Amino acid sequence: MKGTVIPRQRAQKTGTASKQHAFSWRNVKRDVIKNRYVYLMAIPVIAFFIIFCYVPMYGVLMAFQNYKPQYGIWGSEWVGLKNFADFFGSYYAGRLIRNTFLISFYDLIFSFPAPIIFALLLNEVKANKFKRTVQTITYMPYFISLVVVASIIVEFTSSRGFIVDILSLFGFEKKSLLGEAQYFRTIFVASNIWQSLGFNSIIYLAALSGVDQELYEAATLDGAGRWKKMWHVTLPGIMSTVIIMLILRIGGMMNVGYEKIILLYNPATYETADVISSFVYRKGLQEMNYGYSTAVGLFNSVINFVLLVGTNALSKKFSETSLW
């Protein structure tokens, strides 16, 4: 009897599972038909990521080749891990990894909390006209061309620049700050804060608008002041947004954009300014060493992937918020 009962139970479970599976696909089909316009609007976004993010991954094969454009990917010589070995065995590897990590780390420490603090302070402002004016002024640097921003930075930090003139009042020698390697990281991070403070605060202002107002009323009845409301109501209300943004920022920690770097650095500041992306730019586009530069870029992407997965796992373990 036992030998006949168990197979029947298994058959029943298998049939139930298949029905549930079919039912779920029916729900998906029904949802697509019901929300067809939403899915249609999503098509350009999906196409963008497929065309510009996934299709180019085919070019990762160049990292394992002595790539020559005239031969193409399948016609170029395969060299295995030689490009990686050449990079890690070079003088530049340690300097590039150190500079990239330190600039990203300083940017994370100072630039990440800046828009959060700004949004919290702006949220406490009751005069709407003043608030809109401040928001507009802080948004403007983000929309200025990066070339113009770099030109402003170069001009202000030159030996006759505005910032150097102010520093000279405190005994600082009048000299170009961008000509000194020890000042490059400070200038880069400080200019990033100025450039992105207002724009990056938008998402936190949006999160603040979603905090339940009844919680503020309850805190007021309990005798809480502005500081305690901010600490016990506002911050917990936007903490999930902060954690998500932190995970994304750490996941892209090694992605220091080469555009601003190459506009500001010079051979005298390579020791602290040269990062992986600027090195890839020089090797790939200027020296046309495509395989070598692709290998360095692939290494950078792998590090970012590990950081993203690790940070998400830690966030999932110690909080209720994660990307997946």
Side-chain angles (χ1 to χ4, degrees):
M1 293 296 292
K2 293 182 180 179
T4 57
V5 173
I6 293 175
R8 289 177 182 175
Q9 291 176 345
R10 289 179 178 174
Q12 290 175 355
K13 290 180 180 179
T14 304
T16 303
S18 61
K19 287 180 181 179
Q20 290 176 350
H21 183 72
F23 181 76
S24 65
W25 277 109
R26 197 179 303 121
N27 283 344
V28 170
K29 184 178 179 180
R30 188 183 298 117
D31 185 70
V32 170
I33 295 173
K34 182 180 178 181
N35 302 299
R36 55 187 177 276
Y37 296 114
V38 177
Y39 286 100
L40 283 174
M41 288 189 294
I43 289 176
V45 179
I46 297 172
F48 172 84
F49 281 99
I50 292 175
I51 295 172
F52 295 103
C53 295
Y54 289 98
V55 173
M57 291 179 69
Y58 169 72
V60 168
L61 294 174
M62 290 190 296
F64 307 95
Q65 297 176 323
N66 181 19
Y67 178 77
K68 302 295 182 184
Q70 61 268 30
Y71 300 130
I73 290 181
W74 296 111
S76 298
E77 178 188 2
W78 290 85
V79 295
L81 300 176
K82 182 180 181 298
N83 291 322
F84 295 93
D86 290 344
F87 172 67
F88 289 111
S90 68
Y91 161 78
Y92 302 104
R95 185 181 75 180
L96 293 171
I97 296 172
R98 182 184 68 251
N99 289 343
T100 305
F101 175 79
L102 286 177
I103 290 177
S104 298
F105 179 75
Y106 294 148
D107 197 55
L108 177 68
I109 294 297
F110 297 104
S111 295
F112 181 77
I116 302 174
I117 297 171
F118 177 73
L120 291 173
L121 294 175
L122 205 61
N123 188 57
E124 296 297 322
V125 177
K126 304 304 179 184
N128 290 329
K129 187 175 182 180
F130 176 76
K131 182 187 292 188
R132 288 195 296 268
T133 303
V134 172
Q135 284 180 288
T136 303
I137 293 173
T138 55
Y139 293 166
M140 287 174 63
Y142 185 84
F143 296 101
I144 299 175
S145 169
L146 189 58
V147 176
V148 176
V149 170
S151 300
I152 294 172
I153 296 171
V154 171
E155 184 65 28
F156 277 27
T157 57
S158 66
S159 58
R160 297 183 179 181
F162 175 72
I163 296 176
V164 174
D165 286 341
I166 294 177
L167 293 176
S168 65
L169 299 176
F170 301 93
F172 186 84
E173 181 185 354
K174 283 196 171 186
K175 58 183 177 181
S176 175
L177 297 180
L178 284 175
E180 303 291 331
Q182 65 266 31
Y183 300 129
F184 184 86
R185 293 169 186 159
T186 303
I187 295 172
F188 186 87
V189 174
S191 61
N192 271 357
I193 296 174
W194 166 70
Q195 190 179 0
S196 61
L197 175 67
F199 187 82
N200 288 345
S201 67
I202 292 176
I203 190 169
Y204 300 111
L205 290 169
L208 286 169
S209 65
V211 178
D212 191 354
Q213 296 300 312
E214 293 183 358
L215 296 176
Y216 289 108
E217 295 174 2
T220 302
L221 293 175
D222 290 339
R226 281 193 172 187
W227 171 254
K228 288 188 176 180
K229 287 180 187 177
M230 183 186 295
W231 188 257
H232 297 288
V233 178
T234 307
L235 277 176
I238 65 170
M239 190 53 64
S240 59
T241 303
V242 173
I243 292 175
I244 291 296
M245 297 303 295
L246 180 61
I247 293 173
L248 293 174
R249 174 64 73 89
I250 295 178
M253 193 169 177
M254 299 296 284
N255 283 342
V256 180
Y258 72 91
E259 299 95 342
K260 190 175 180 181
I261 293 287
I262 63 175
L263 289 171
L264 295 178
Y265 78 167
N266 56 73
T269 59
Y270 278 177
E271 189 60 34
T272 59
D274 198 17
V275 295
I276 291 177
S277 59
S278 59
F279 181 77
V280 168
Y281 167 79
R282 291 201 310 275
K283 283 290 182 180
L285 296 182
Q286 293 183 345
E287 300 180 17
M288 293 183 290
N289 194 343
Y290 301 109
Y292 186 87
S293 61
T294 304
V296 179
L298 178 60
F299 161 74
N300 193 43
S301 299
V302 170
I303 296 299
N304 280 329
F305 177 76
V306 172
L307 287 172
L308 177 64
V309 173
T311 306
N312 187 76
L314 289 175
S315 177
K316 190 174 183 179
K317 181 177 180 180
F318 295 105
S319 70
E320 298 179 355
T321 306
S322 62
L323 291 175
W324 64 83

